């Protein structure tokens, strides 16, 4: 289901010890921080610093998230966080996979659905965002 | 799909301002903390303080999580967090819904799959846990 | 040094398990969240919801913080968080002490210096804030 | 007061957007995470991975922390986090300064007092730790 060739972006992230919980593994909520950090690094690399979206009055909002947890990360681990995206109407679907760097073990697989809200709460179709990211979208999307 | 009559447990939680992100809404990862806090409060109420599980050598681990986000919480909001559970073999399925207290608006719906790991990494069927929680499980489960 | 009679405000806060670190005690940074949550609850009780300050263009900023750690909090603990304040020119000094509820053991003592910044980065004397909180300030202050 | 020549260790850390609070600046508590992350990276570099201390039954605990906040960090900022240490009897004093990378602006100055606890709660003199770090301690210490 996850097609490795489709990854657009890869980021290495090191576990910080304060992200561990009382069992000595990274707390399940922290992976959502890693996923968000990866998405922001991706759009920043594309010349769309996250702050500029919100100053344009667009607020990207997570609508739905599915995540499967495989190997838990521990103190000292480094992860490789990868993503690719699809557009379905106003929804941007981020497919995000994290692997443990030292052995490639799968850590989490996630599918994150984002929509762009305007300040008044209406959903924006995100066409401006698509225009900037269009190299990633084939003909069939949108 | 979410059957309100099935809720076993309800907990009120107040938003803390440091949980807001730069758009002034609770960050999407923080809801996983609320969900976990609710599960721990539930098992504690049932006489199973979370710490006692781990001292028995059982570590409850999140295997999969699906979450839909509806109304974002903001500074000053109080939420009502509810859950009910099902057992499917070794998996405990927590159905968790959060509502905004002041108007009952749905905040998130989540389905969280937990398994109990033993210290050696093997999956435990969780029969001891079930025995303590059996009033919640009908005949058809497990 | 800490004068118990001077406490203006008391708030009970329950430890949430995700606040524990890998040693099973509340991580040292989390106490700053508890302290901030207590300050915000205090000003909200005084009719100054934190959000209204920032919409007035005032941003309260922590300038300095001193904290002594005594008894670490653990899973299941409830704390009693107390504060009193002094004003020294443009600085608001919050004296904040946290105790473990079950036995009154001291958890942390903190002294937190806050200033109000205007949007342009200038320091505001906070006179409006003082006007609203003046019952707490004797003649000698300011 | 902070003697730049005494720095033993330097680490670059990038701000992650989820560390921002509702004013768009890094929340004051997050700096304690950065400081802890720097200390752990330092002892790991010295061949003392943090986990090995605790498996030896020693738990490093923060006893006191003083921090002055200067320039707030924002989205996209990278910081340079530096430290040097002194020993005073059983106490390890970490002098930790963080600067904004792009212009060297001071972000925070902190003095963090750590003691090593044994599992039974007694304070350990930390002689084993000192033996491993002795190149950093001159004759007059301890």
């Amino acid at each position: 289901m996850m097609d490795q060739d489709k990854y657009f972006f890869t980021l290495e992230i090191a576990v910080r010890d304060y992200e561990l919980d009382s069992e000595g593994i990274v707390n399940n909520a922290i992976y959502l921080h890693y996923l968000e950090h990866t998405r922001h690094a991706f759009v920043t690399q594309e010349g769309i610093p996250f702050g500029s979206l919100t100053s344009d009055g667009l607020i990207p909002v997570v609508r739905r998230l599915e995540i499967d947890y495989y190997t838990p990360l521990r103190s000292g681990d480094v992860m490789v966080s990868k993503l690719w995206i699809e557009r379905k109407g106003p929804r941007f679907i981020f497919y995000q996979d994290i692997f443990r760097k030292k052995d490639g073990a799968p850590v989490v697989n996630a599918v994150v659905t984002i929509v762009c809200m305007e300040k008044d709460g209406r959903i924006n179709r995100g066409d401006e965002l698509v225009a900037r990211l269009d190299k990633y979208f084939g003909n069939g999307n949108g």
Side-chain angles (χ1 to χ4, degrees), chain A:
Chain A
M1 191 179 0
M2 296 295 166
D3 179 343
Q4 297 237 1
D5 295 328
K6 288 193 175 177
Y7 292 125
F8 297 160
F9 183 71
T10 295
L11 182 70
E12 287 196 8
I13 306 174
V15 169
R16 299 176 183 173
D17 285 342
Y18 62 79
E19 296 166 338
L20 306 177
D21 65 16
S22 56
E23 286 101 57
I25 59 179
V26 170
N27 183 278
N28 66 82
I30 301 294
Y31 294 96
L32 272 62
H33 285 325
Y34 297 151
L35 296 172
E36 177 183 307
H37 183 55
T38 306
R39 293 193 302 275
H40 287 204
F42 166 64
V43 296
T44 299
Q45 175 198 260
E46 297 301 314
I48 313 169
F50 184 74
S52 82
L53 278 179
T54 56
S55 64
D56 286 356
L58 287 183
I59 304 174
V61 174
V62 176
R63 271 293 192 213
R64 177 175 171 78
L65 189 143
E66 294 172 48
I67 180 168
D68 286 285
Y69 296 88
Y70 301 103
T71 310
L73 292 173
R74 296 173 184 279
S75 182
D77 281 341
V78 174
M79 76 200 79
V80 181
S81 179
K82 294 168 178 265
L83 67 78
W84 58 278
I85 53 180
E86 272 187 345
R87 190 187 182 203
K88 291 187 180 170
R91 291 175 290 142
F92 293 85
I93 317 292
F94 285 74
Y95 296 88
Q96 299 194 248
D97 301 327
I98 295 178
F99 303 92
R100 190 166 58 188
K101 188 182 179 190
K102 68 181 174 194
D103 58 4
V107 172
V108 302
N109 289 167
V111 182
V112 185
T113 304
I114 306 276
V115 295
C116 286
M117 305 287 288
E118 304 197 7
K119 288 281 183 199
D120 60 7
R122 287 191 311 169
I123 290 178
N124 182 289
R125 272 186 50 86
D127 289 331
E128 189 193 351
L129 203 58
V130 170
R132 297 206 228 175
L133 298 175
D134 66 353
K135 65 184 167 192
Y136 298 116
F137 297 107
N139 281 333
N141 295 307

